[in-house]
Amino acid sequence: NQSSQPPMSCDCFVSLPPGSRDDHVIFGKNSDRPRDEVQEVVHYPAASHPPGSMLECTYIQIPQVEQTNAVVLSKPAWMWGAEMGASDKGVCIGNEAVWTREPVAPGEALLGMDLVRLGLERGDSARAALTVITSLLEEHGQGGQCREAPEPFSYHNTFLLVDRSEAWVLETAGRLWVAQKVSEGVKNISNQLTIGSEISTEHPDLQSVAKAQGWWDGEGEFNFSHVFSPENPPARMELAKQRYRGGTELLQQHDGSVTAEVMMSILRDKPSGICMDSGGFCTTGSMVSILPRDTALPCIHFFTATPDPSRSVFKPFIFSDCPTPVPRVVSPQFGPDDPARKQPRFQSQVDRRHDLYKAHQVALNTMETNPDEGLAVYNILRDLESQCLSEIAAMLSGEIPGEELGDLFFDCVDTEIKFYQ
């Protein structure tokens, strides 16, 4: 029964000049996950680590590096890794679930979400983060339970890696991988393989494995998506095709005029299925980033920290030397007793909701029971979002100084909770 199978489906987008209206790279992602899963937004400062230290990822330990970048992550609260995020080096990464002819290996390894976080913490550019992810993939493999439940569910991953100058699409099948550089214009990925024969770099054994498996005869041009897409793709990959086409159409409608606002409107689009709400699954967190080409200007990363972007507000985060902590979007910690960490895993449920998530849930209920009142509050918040976007536009065009915006994320979360109350 495919309908009870999670359509664990995400959509990632990027616009590079001349696709963007301004001299900015714009990144966006909707994270579509189990409906009740809580996504938190957490900032981790840059850190030095003693040589030889080990790092505890979601399921396995790997050697830590000596220096990690500051990162801001939108992450399912139960795991170590992240669905999407950014580093203080101006790199953004999001991942997507895919299924390929290469079977998903049983057992615990690195989650695709762990690889997102590791790429951000260790890579100073999109290209460097790609090398980080592919090296870790070859060394440790990918796999492990991808949702907070005992029923087995795991997948391979594709990634969109973006910085101020370029984007990379990285698609994987087990430990094998292929990547494509995107230097200009607009590009989106959904839950399917999109790289054909325009390959910029690949795993050295990719083509020989394809030949040895009898998936490719070695004749003519090697086309990754033709060779590695499964013969009977899961229904969710077929549904992703429609969303991929819808996303491509929406991006192309705005080609040459993409801004953060346009990206937010695409992520809020319900008819295309990009803003997802079907059965047990919905968009549980969203992110949009502005990466100005001019390195004198700061990058700005917007997060909802709540489900359903069409009923959520994007709040801007800017890296600064000592950002105000924002505990109201951070989930409670359960330490070694966390059901995600105890063996056997996921035998019980805990309440991972943070303050903003709870307040937003109440507001959504109000919208259902008292639509007028609910809508009034939401419209005020959307006005604040627009005001915020105008201030940021003014800062990026040099009209107001950026130093004043370091506490913006804290202020916006605080204001949103007050309004819901």
Side-chain angles (χ1 to χ4, degrees), residues 41 77 83 92 111 135 140 160 184 206 219 278 294 313 383:
V41 175
E83 279 284 297
C92 297
L111 287 177
S135 314
H140 303 284
L160 183 61
E184 56 174 40
L206 181 74
E219 300 293 313
S278 75
D294 178 352
V313 192
D383 286 346

Side-chain angles (χ1 to χ4, degrees), residues 47-361:
S48 304
H49 309 277
S53 19
M54 294 301 284
L55 169 66
E56 188 83 42
C57 298
T58 303
Y59 299 128
I60 65 166
Q61 279 195 344
I62 65 168
Q64 181 56 288
V65 290
E66 287 189 19
Q67 189 64 41
T68 48
N69 301 323
V71 294
V72 61
L73 307 171
S74 189
K75 58 186 285 296
W78 62 270
M79 67 174 64
W80 181 83
E83 279 284 297
M84 51 206 168
S87 74
D88 59 348
K89 298 291 192 268
V91 178
C92 297
I93 308 178
N95 75 316
E96 309 268 332
V98 281
W99 289 265
T100 69
R101 290 175 96 159
E102 190 69 38
V104 179
E108 297 187 335
L110 289 172
L111 287 177
M113 288 66 80
D114 292 345
L115 291 164
V116 168
R117 179 169 174 180
L118 290 160
L120 290 168
E121 288 187 347
R122 300 178 178 198
D124 292 355
S125 66
R127 182 70 183 87
L130 185 138
T131 304
V132 166
I133 292 175
T134 54
S135 314
L136 289 166
L137 192 59
E138 288 178 48
E139 198 177 335
H140 303 284
Q142 58 179 328
Q145 180 64 343
C146 293
R147 60 174 167 173
E148 196 182 0
E151 303 79 41
F153 183 67
S154 50
Y155 45 75
H156 292 158
N157 292 268
T158 66
F159 303 86
L160 183 61
L161 307 96
V162 178
D163 62 25
R164 292 177 189 257
S165 58
E166 61 189 30
W168 285 83
V169 177
L170 168 62
E171 300 188 342
T172 72
R175 290 174 193 245
L176 301 171
W177 57 271
V178 57
Q180 182 184 60
K181 182 177 168 176
V182 184
S183 304
E184 56 174 40
V186 294
K187 173 81 184 168
N188 61 311
I189 62 172
S190 295
N191 307 80
Q192 52 184 333
L193 302 179
T194 62
I195 299 176
S197 47
E198 307 80 53
I199 294 169
S200 309
T201 174
E202 65 188 59
H203 187 289
D205 303 334
L206 181 74
Q207 298 190 18
S208 55
V209 169
K211 275 197 258 195
Q213 294 283 5
W215 299 336
W216 183 51
D217 58 10
E219 300 293 313
E221 204 169 32
F222 177 79
N223 181 308
F224 178 71
S225 65
H226 284 182
V227 173
F228 275 87
S229 290
E231 284 168 302
N232 299 307
R236 52 183 101 82
M237 274 184 86
E238 290 302 302
L239 285 169
K241 269 190 194 152
Q242 297 161 19
R243 287 202 329 280
Y244 175 68
R245 283 197 292 268
T248 305
E249 277 167 29
L250 286 167
L251 268 181
Q252 281 167 354
Q253 280 167 26
H254 296 283
D255 196 352
S257 59
V258 176
T259 58
E261 289 91 324
V262 165
M263 193 62 85
M264 290 171 190
S265 72
I266 291 174
L267 297 184
R268 286 174 165 141
D269 191 74
K270 290 226 158 148
S272 61
I274 287 163
C275 177
M276 183 185 219
D277 192 354
S278 75
F281 283 71
C282 74
T283 299
T284 55
S286 306
M287 172 183 176
V288 169
S289 294
I290 305 173
L291 311 174
R293 286 269 162 102
D294 178 352
T295 54
L297 295 170
C299 296
I300 295 119
H301 311 287
F302 298 86
F303 296 94
T304 56
T306 51
D308 188 352
S310 74
R311 294 177 173 195
S312 290
V313 192
F314 282 93
K315 298 159 281 289
F317 177 95
I318 300 173
F319 283 98
S320 61
D321 292 339
C322 43
T324 313
V326 187
R328 307 194 77 177
V329 289
V330 178
S331 294
Q333 296 291 310
F334 298 92
D337 290 335
D338 194 309
R341 292 170 71 178
K342 279 198 309 203
Q343 296 279 7
R345 301 188 200 274
F346 308 119
Q347 300 301 302
S348 60
Q349 293 283 315
V350 286
D351 185 357
R352 300 189 189 273
R353 295 174 305 159
H354 48 73
D355 290 354
L356 178 64
Y357 188 97
K358 288 179 186 169
H360 181 257
Q361 271 189 318

